[in-house]
Structure formats: C-alpha cells, structure tokens
Amino acid sequence: QPPDAEHLLGTDQVGRDMFSRLLYAMRVSLLVGFLATAISTVIGVALGLISGYFGGTLDIIMMRLLEIINGIPYLIIVILLMMILRPGMMTIIIAYSLVGWIPMARLVRGQVVALKQQEYIAAAEAMGAGPARIIARHLLPNTLSVVIVRVTLSIPSAIFSEAFLSYIGLGVPLPLASWGVLASDGANKLLTFPYQLLFPALLICITMLCFNLMGDGLRDALDPRMRK
C-alpha cells in the first residue's frame, strides 16, 4: 500500500509497515557505522601518532605497510572474509576496519609531522617529558579537530559501504534489515513503488548531513585555533 493515515510510509510487498522497518533498519545501519568507524579510528590514530612522532625507519615501514594494504581492493577483502566467516554485521565491520584506518592514519601522521616541529614540543622534550606524555598531552589533543571531521565522514562512508554490499548480496543476512537492504529491495520496485527506495535513500542522506554538521560544530568547539 502507498503511504496513508494508517501506514505513514506505506507498506512493502508483503504488507509490513515501512516506518517500522526503517526504524529497525536504522539500528543495524548505525551500529555498523559506529563500530566500524570506532575501530578504524582507534587503529588509524594510534598508528598515525606513532609513525609521525618517531619517524625514521619505523615511519618508512609503517607507510609501506599502509600502501600495501591500500592496494588491496575493499571488495576482495570482504569476499575473502565471507568465505572464512559467517556473513553478517561483524564480518562487514571487520572488513571495513581492516582498510578504513588508512585515511585516518595518513591524516594524523601528517598533522603530527607538522606539530612536532613546534616550539612547545621542543620545550616539553627539554623538560624531560617522555614520548608517551608528549603524544598524549600535546600531539593527540591538537589533532582532535581533524580526527573529528574525518570521523563524521567515515560513519556515512561505512553506512554506504554496507548499503553497497547489501545491494550485491554480501550485506547483512535476512531476516535482519538495514537501510542498504531496504534500498536494494526498493531499487527492484522503482517503477512501481518508488517510495520504497525514496525513504531509505532519504534517511541515508539526512544522516550524512547531520554527521557533517555535528562535525563542524565539534571542530569549532574543540580546535584551540578556532577559539582565538
């Protein structure tokens, strides 16, 4: 049925309420987005801080490892994991985490390389501060602004990745539903029931916009240079 007073967003091909399905699918999509982004962010920030601060041979080895992993297509990693693990949310999260940390590591490394040349880092080293304290108290807080902005882009990217995998049949298995699964079902009925594709796609777009606006606000609040 199309949208009406009883079913605000209509029903699907078997009479299930689309509004209820979209709310249920939101939990799955956001869970995949948050967990995958959280894991990849922790890995990327840690490796970027270590590589950028210590430099030298360690930096060269880590950057070459990053380039090797970056050269492996994401879809191949997912297919290989699907052959080893059971298809599901955790497989998608693990696959995204294995490659999702690369942009974050590059971004943080670049920031750290620039920041460690500042006078306050030299002053901290002269006062006897160890690498762990310098990284935790000086370098990490000053990279938060770029990290937050990258995170706000990574969460929608993870949701889009799940939607793409669901579209080609490698997403979350039935009976689980996500925005990607609903969008895939709606694409098959685009000419007859376009609202089944419109509503999941609209929610994905709104979610991306919300995270971007939230990232801009947090950047303005946390970046020391924006307070001046």
Side-chain angles (χ1 to χ4, degrees):
Q1 296 180 3
D4 55 22
E6 183 178 1
H7 303 285
L8 298 179
L9 301 183
T11 62
D12 62 6
Q13 66 274 14
V14 293
R16 292 174 294 190
D17 183 68
M18 284 293 296
F19 182 74
S20 300
R21 295 204 76 201
L22 286 170
L23 289 180
Y24 178 82
M26 179 177 63
R27 299 187 301 176
V28 177
S29 295
L30 292 182
L31 181 62
V32 171
F34 278 113
L35 285 182
T37 303
I39 296 173
S40 61
T41 298
V42 171
I43 297 174
V45 170
L47 294 181
L49 288 171
I50 294 173
S51 177
Y53 179 75
F54 291 101
T57 304
L58 178 62
D59 183 33
I60 295 175
I61 294 175
M62 294 182 67
M63 288 300 102
R64 298 296 83 78
L65 176 62
L66 184 149
E67 292 174 358
I68 292 174
I69 298 177
N70 192 38
I72 303 175
Y74 170 67
L75 187 59
I76 293 180
I77 296 178
V78 174
I79 294 175
L80 291 176
L81 287 176
M82 290 295 183
M83 297 172 60
I84 300 173
L85 305 175
R86 296 179 56 186
M89 286 191 301
M90 290 308 302
T91 302
I92 298 176
I93 292 171
I94 293 173
Y96 186 87
S97 301
L98 289 177
V99 296
W101 61 271
I102 294 176
M104 182 67 73
R106 283 178 171 172
L107 184 63
V108 172
R109 175 188 174 274
Q111 290 290 316
V112 171
V113 169
L115 289 172
K116 73 176 183 179
Q117 307 297 330
Q118 301 295 321
E119 290 80 3
Y120 65 88
I121 299 297
E125 293 174 346
M127 294 176 64
R133 180 177 177 83
I134 293 175
I135 291 174
R137 296 294 301 273
H138 300 287
L139 294 178
L140 180 59
N142 284 283
T143 60
L144 282 179
S145 60
V146 294
V147 169
I148 290 172
V149 173
R150 183 64 202 179
V151 166
T152 57
L153 297 177
S154 297
I155 294 177
S157 176
I159 295 175
F160 283 140
S161 297
E162 181 275 326
F164 169 73
L165 293 174
S166 298
Y167 189 83
I168 63 176
L170 296 178
V172 295
L174 297 175
L176 290 177
S178 67
W179 285 340
V181 173
L182 297 182
S184 177
D185 292 340
N188 297 327
K189 308 175 185 64
L190 179 60
L191 297 180
T192 53
F193 304 104
Y195 66 89
Q196 293 190 16
L197 174 62
L198 174 63
F199 294 133
L202 184 61
L203 285 177
I204 293 175
C205 294
I206 293 175
T207 301
M208 181 178 64
L209 177 62
C210 290
F211 278 113
N212 287 334
L213 294 176
M214 182 178 67
D216 290 340
L218 291 175
R219 181 193 60 189
D220 295 342
L222 297 177
D223 191 349
R225 292 169 295 183
M226 302 295 292
R227 301 175 186 171
K228 296 180 182 180

